[in-house]
Amino acid sequence: MRPKDSPRPKPAPPASLRRRTGIVKDPRYAEHCMGPGEPECPERLDVLYPLLDEPELADAVTIITPRPAKNAELETVHAARYIRRLEATAGGTPTYLDEDTRTAPGSHDAALLAAGGLCRAIKAVHTGQVDNAFAWVRPPGHHAERAASGGFCLYNNIAIGTRFAQNRLKLARILVVDFDLHHGNGTQHCFEDDPSVLFFSTHRAFTYPHTGRVKEIGKGPGRGFTINTPLLSGAGDGDFLALFERLLRPVAMAFKPDLVLVSAGFDIHTQDPLGGMRVTPDGFAAMTRILMEVADACCQGRLVLALEGGYDLDALRASVREVLREMTGRRRTDIRPMLAAADQKRVDYICWRVSEAHRKYWPCLNGQPVPTVRARLKGMLARWAAYFKS
Ligand SMILES: [Zn+2]
């Protein structure tokens, strides 16, 4: 019997809110292995697979088998000479492409399956085979530039998926949200002059890859369609949610995307060894809730996540589990308590800086509270301190 003063268990959401979620899964992703002790390792997917056997989730997911990305799909994002360079590593001896990124004999095939797997997931959502999808792929992609690898990334999966959705599925406007700890430099550079792709990124300032400043707002006709919200270390659930609620949601609703794609990085989890942020599994679920609401309002719920970072295996599994429960309608997170716990002064400062840079392009951002001179000075000093510490 439940004691009178214990909290009442939360009722499960009604069955009518349940959704079918596609999961991209393939053992060949394990063939990409950069060597012992590397944080971006095959075990990152191994720890996720048992989630698919949990009774609550087993009935809710559909496995999507990936296909290799085609050369023409790669060339929508990458230079031909770069593709040839990566192809040449297939089956060969391990090669360092840059200081962080190393290939194994099976890396190139895994990279093709990562990009192609995301394309399959997008197509499955577009055709209605599933309601939304999460591509559990490796290697990650958002640091890959047109002609350069970087930060564990070979091909830029999310950028290739974006062009696939536009070229093959004729979806005009794509919202790309990137909540990885690290700025998605490759994704930004791919789309910075393109107003058909809105790129919104939260990331840690003054760390790899040292891009993603507020004033990077896009170029030419793409001005206003790159929105960077760099955060200092220590940001938690409430801070990320506040940025999603006060900046991402209004801009996304004005942009009206035909598809929402997400570079889902779990290295902002409080336990992550590369991190410095304080997001919890409930925080990831709440961010997913906002993304689902935007997708529901704009594009019949078409939402596809692609795995990027996340290097503490327990934290990664726990976080992905809650994201998956949210996507499948097994939980429905009330974001209000977490929003209320945000560091309001810190959030006001970054929202004000971003709205100053973007209000010309997004009138919906007018009306953000203007921090006092003292708060602005404090915010500036904190940024300088973080810069010199980095
Ligand atoms: Zn990362």
Side-chain angles (χ1 to χ4, degrees):
M1 195 174 150
R2 188 169 61 88
K4 271 185 184 166
D5 57 350
S6 70
R8 192 177 286 274
K10 281 185 189 165
S16 60
L17 295 175
R18 292 190 173 183
R19 302 183 190 204
R20 179 144 290 275
T21 297
I23 297 289
V24 175
K25 176 176 184 272
D26 196 290
R28 288 171 289 177
Y29 292 128
E31 299 299 315
H32 170 60
C33 182
M34 298 202 296
E38 287 289 342
E40 208 295 281
C41 58
E43 290 77 15
R44 296 181 62 233
L45 295 186
D46 294 342
V47 298
L48 301 185
Y49 294 145
L51 297 176
L52 302 174
D53 299 324
E54 291 188 7
E56 190 184 34
L57 294 170
D59 295 339
V61 299
T62 296
I63 302 300
I64 296 171
T65 302
R67 61 163 172 85
K70 297 170 188 157
N71 197 58
E73 291 166 344
L74 301 176
E75 285 187 344
T76 60
V77 171
H78 294 289
R81 68 178 189 283
Y82 176 67
I83 298 169
R84 300 293 93 76
R85 184 179 164 219
L86 293 195
E87 276 173 355
T89 70
T93 51
T95 307
Y96 273 99
L97 299 171
D98 59 72
E99 61 183 11
D100 296 321
T101 317
R102 196 165 86 136
T103 61
S107 293
H108 187 254
D109 285 348
L112 291 177
L113 290 168
L118 179 59
C119 293
R120 275 244 162 113
I122 293 167
K123 191 171 179 187
V125 170
H126 183 250
T127 58
Q129 183 197 351
V130 293
D131 298 308
N132 51 36
F134 194 164
W136 291 356
V137 296
R138 297 181 53 253
H142 69 155
H143 295 308
E145 298 275 6
R146 180 171 162 72
S149 61
F152 314 146
C153 301
L154 276 67
Y155 291 124
N156 193 316
N157 306 321
I158 207 90
I160 292 166
T162 300
R163 289 305 188 211
F164 170 82
Q166 291 185 313
N167 298 341
R168 290 286 303 279
L169 306 179
K170 307 300 174 197
L171 298 171
R173 287 180 308 281
I174 314 293
L175 168 62
V176 178
V177 178
D178 187 327
F179 61 71
D180 191 274
L181 176 77
H182 306 96
H183 179 243
N185 54 305
T187 312
Q188 172 174 308
H189 293 149
C190 187
F191 301 122
E192 62 192 349
D193 59 357
D194 183 347
S196 71
V197 180
L198 173 60
F199 177 64
F200 180 95
S201 175
T202 54
H203 49 271
R204 184 171 164 183
F206 310 123
T207 190
Y208 182 86
H210 300 282
T211 50
R213 289 170 298 167
V214 169
K215 65 181 180 185
E216 293 169 29
I217 61 167
K219 292 181 176 171
R223 282 175 74 80
F225 292 88
T226 293
I227 302 180
N228 282 305
T229 60
L231 290 159
L232 301 184
S233 62
D237 295 341
D239 305 79
F240 280 87
L241 283 177
L243 298 182
F244 271 40
E245 193 61 21
R246 286 169 55 174
L247 301 174
L248 172 61
R249 191 195 292 263
V251 171
M253 298 300 280
F255 179 66
K256 296 188 177 64
D258 298 306
L259 171 69
V260 180
L261 295 181
V262 182
S263 271
F266 295 87
D267 38 9
I268 52 173
H269 187 284
T270 188
Q271 286 171 23
D272 194 274
L274 308 190
M277 296 306 193
R278 293 188 189 145
V279 177
T280 70
D282 284 340
F284 286 110
M287 287 157 68
T288 306
R289 166 95 334 251
I290 294 177
L291 294 166
M292 289 173 74
E293 287 174 3
V294 166
D296 283 349
C298 298
C299 49
Q300 296 90 53
R302 289 196 288 263
L303 171 70
V304 181
L305 277 63
L307 183 65
E308 299 282 1
Y311 305 103
D312 181 283
L313 298 179
D314 291 337
L316 177 64
R317 179 180 47 226
S319 305
V320 169
R321 181 173 188 271
E322 296 313 312
V323 166
L324 202 47
R325 291 185 66 224
E326 193 77 40
M327 290 177 79
T328 54
R330 267 56 180 177
R331 69 175 280 172
R332 192 176 175 84
T333 306
D334 181 359
I335 65 170
R336 289 168 298 181
M338 278 183 259
L339 262 182
D343 180 330
Q344 287 306 331
K345 285 194 174 144
R346 188 159 63 185
V347 167
D348 282 352
Y349 179 64
I350 181 71
C351 285
W352 170 74
R353 287 183 63 217
V354 173
S355 67
E356 284 292 295
H358 281 280
R359 60 173 0 98
K360 183 171 152 194
Y361 310 100
W362 302 102
C364 56
L365 293 182
N366 281 313
Q368 297 283 341
V370 178
T372 61
V373 174
R374 194 190 165 114
R376 274 143 67 177
L377 198 60
K378 212 175 148 190
M380 208 158 63
L381 288 173
R383 278 168 54 220
W384 282 350
Y387 171 74
F388 286 114
K389 231 171 100 181
S390 67

